[in-house]
Amino acid sequence: MVSKKKIEDLPCSAKLVFKVLKMKGRATFQELKEETYMPDRTLREALKILRDESLLVVQPCLGDTRSRVYALNEEVCLSLIDDLKSNRRR
């Protein structure tokens, strides 16, 4: 399970992608590239880091099968929110 401390330890590029997906919900690689202004290589690495931490869900794009749609893993994100709330109560 990913903790708040883990998110704070992520590189800035991964945090930015996380924030964009949190706001947009879902996005293709091109949309993320336009939102973050990151070079392809940096964006790919950020997506890899989020995927390795189980924070990211990758699905095929129905409109263009060559593309992928990226979204946050809702189960993990909801557990993070619950953990944050319980830590604030203490």
Side-chain angles (χ1 to χ4, degrees):
M1 194 61 60
V2 179
S3 67
K4 181 180 184 287
K5 184 165 174 49
K6 267 263 203 227
I7 290 175
E8 290 172 354
D9 293 340
L10 293 175
C12 293
S13 59
K15 285 188 232 180
L16 179 58
V17 172
F18 182 87
K19 286 282 192 187
V20 169
L21 288 173
K22 190 173 167 185
M23 289 188 312
K24 289 189 75 140
R26 305 164 43 114
T28 63
F29 186 87
Q30 191 62 35
E31 291 170 337
L32 287 170
K33 186 177 174 182
E34 290 169 5
E35 287 284 329
T36 62
Y37 296 99
M38 284 186 207
D40 289 0
R41 185 175 180 177
T42 305
L43 181 55
R44 277 192 207 98
E45 183 63 24
L47 291 169
K48 180 185 180 311
I49 290 167
L50 292 173
R51 195 171 44 240
D52 290 348
E53 294 293 332
S54 301
L55 292 169
L56 193 66
V57 176
V58 183
Q59 301 168 335
C61 179
L62 299 177
D64 181 2
T65 55
R66 297 171 294 173
S67 298
R68 301 283 175 256
V69 176
Y70 301 94
L72 294 178
N73 184 338
E74 291 180 23
E75 291 177 20
V76 174
C77 292
L78 288 175
S79 69
L80 286 173
I81 292 169
D82 291 341
D83 290 345
L84 290 173
K85 286 180 181 177
S86 65
N87 286 341
R88 286 184 185 162
R89 291 182 190 145
R90 291 181 190 171

